[in-house]
Amino acid sequence: MIIYVVKEGDTLTGIAAATGSSVERIQRDNALTDESVLVPGQALVILQPNVTHTVAEGETFSGIAQQYGITPKELLANNPALNGRETLYPGETLVIDYVTNMDRRELAVNGYAYPYIDREILRKTLPYLTYITLFTYGFTENGDLIGIDDEEVIQIAKQYQVAPLMLLSTLTDSGTFSNELASKIFADAEARNNLFDQILENLRVKGYYGLDVDFEFVLPEDKENYVQFLTELKARLEPEGYPLITALAPKTSGEQRGLLYESHDYPAIGAVADYVLLMTYEWGYT
């Protein structure tokens, strides 16, 4: 694989000739069209096939994957032009693997999705994901879970061997995170236990892999209460094998001021959670 950085005056034809690729492959692997304009500084991924397979009459997707000792998901990931489809046509050329000049390492990738995500985009993306997090479950002051229509996306994700994560947040119908709602659930043990019971039941019934908690703009005075909430939740999830993930505001120091940051105690939350997601996209708003 080559990462080619576009220079002034570059064209796709010239880049293809210089890298031993083709215009069509560069366009396909970088989601470019004939109308796309190259910009100096733009990075292009140049993938160089190592082993390819031409589909013969009667061959199946899973059969080809088995023949080369790879999984169907890997075969889909190596062939982005398929857009996640496993239906094959005689004469199609599939890439089995690529030339690589880098050490291979394990990487876990998570993506957020609304339940109404375009199914074509979903299937096109799933071959590259480890987890998919469905956005978002809410709850009431009494700890009653507010559900979403997520069954279809969960089942599609599992077809691609992608683990679905349930997301719990304090997001309201107005599109803002409610620190008032967070404070009330922190202060009410009965409501918390009701919420935890319903979360566990939902994880079981829907077949979720684990839970992601995204409480943003928690009041600074609730900093320790939030850690306690996560600690109690972890104690309920762990015996049943569900990992606890939580989203963290992208702090640059433990003393960083600001409502988004102050209640997210990195060491304390890190000691409780199995994984954390750093919301570095927050920096984009500034």
Side-chain angles (χ1 to χ4, degrees):
M1 181 176 73
I2 299 170
I3 303 297
Y4 184 91
V5 180
V6 176
K7 302 184 295 296
E8 189 72 44
D10 272 342
T11 64
L12 283 180
T13 302
I15 295 171
T19 59
S21 185
S22 67
V23 171
E24 292 75 17
R25 176 166 293 281
I26 294 173
Q27 287 178 318
R28 184 168 63 245
D29 292 341
N30 292 274
L32 302 175
T33 67
D34 290 337
E35 288 72 39
S36 297
V37 177
L38 296 181
V39 179
Q42 178 180 0
L44 299 177
V45 176
I46 311 297
L47 297 173
Q48 300 165 305
N50 180 35
V51 177
T52 61
H53 178 92
T54 301
V55 179
E57 188 73 43
E59 286 190 308
T60 64
F61 197 87
S62 59
I64 294 171
Q66 186 176 22
Q67 177 182 339
Y68 289 95
I70 61 176
T71 66
K73 184 178 178 181
E74 288 174 311
L75 190 54
L76 282 173
N78 288 340
N79 294 275
L82 293 176
N83 288 329
R85 66 172 169 86
E86 293 188 5
T87 303
L88 299 177
Y89 304 98
E92 277 189 298
T93 298
L94 301 178
V95 177
I96 304 303
D97 66 15
Y98 290 94
V99 175
T100 178
N101 54 2
M102 289 186 254
D103 293 333
R104 292 185 179 273
R105 291 176 289 173
E106 291 295 319
L107 178 70
V109 182
N110 175 59
Y112 287 98
Y114 289 109
Y116 51 81
I117 181 175
D118 181 280
R119 298 311 191 244
E120 183 178 345
I121 292 174
L122 176 64
R123 292 181 182 277
K124 182 177 181 179
T125 308
L126 283 170
Y128 307 98
L129 297 182
T130 313
Y131 309 102
I132 185 167
T133 304
L134 279 297
F135 197 88
T136 174
Y137 279 79
F139 59 92
T140 67
E141 294 178 6
N142 297 322
D144 289 327
L145 197 63
I146 301 173
I148 55 176
D149 184 13
D150 50 3
E151 289 91 345
E152 184 181 7
V153 174
I154 290 171
Q155 294 310 310
I156 295 173
K158 289 184 176 181
Q159 291 171 15
Y160 288 80
Q161 296 84 52
V162 175
L165 296 175
M166 174 184 169
L167 176 65
L168 181 74
S169 77
T170 55
L171 198 68
T172 65
D173 291 337
S174 63
T176 58
F177 288 89
S178 172
N179 46 36
E180 180 182 0
L181 179 60
S183 291
K184 288 182 177 178
I185 203 73
F186 296 157
D188 190 334
E190 185 177 349
R192 285 199 306 280
N193 283 324
N194 180 41
L195 178 59
F196 296 162
D197 286 342
Q198 294 188 34
I199 287 172
L200 279 167
E201 181 64 15
N202 191 73
L203 289 168
R204 297 186 197 108
V205 171
K206 298 287 184 67
Y208 272 110
Y209 173 79
L211 178 71
D212 177 16
V213 177
D214 183 10
F215 283 18
E216 301 183 31
F217 301 101
V218 175
L219 295 172
E221 55 264 35
D222 278 327
K223 179 179 181 178
E224 293 181 3
N225 294 332
Y226 183 36
V227 174
Q228 183 59 32
F229 174 86
L230 293 173
T231 301
E232 292 177 9
L233 181 53
K234 173 68 177 292
R236 296 290 301 276
L237 296 173
E238 191 168 40
E240 299 202 30
Y242 295 114
L244 174 65
I245 301 99
T246 187
L248 293 180
K251 297 166 69 168
T252 54
S253 76
E255 295 70 42
Q256 185 167 343
R257 301 276 68 87
L259 186 58
L260 180 66
Y261 312 102
E262 291 180 44
S263 62
H264 282 187
D265 184 333
Y266 272 28
I269 292 175
V272 176
D274 294 290
Y275 304 99
V276 296
L277 298 166
L278 294 177
M279 301 183 288
T280 54
Y281 51 79
E282 295 285 355
W283 284 325
Y285 299 130
T286 59

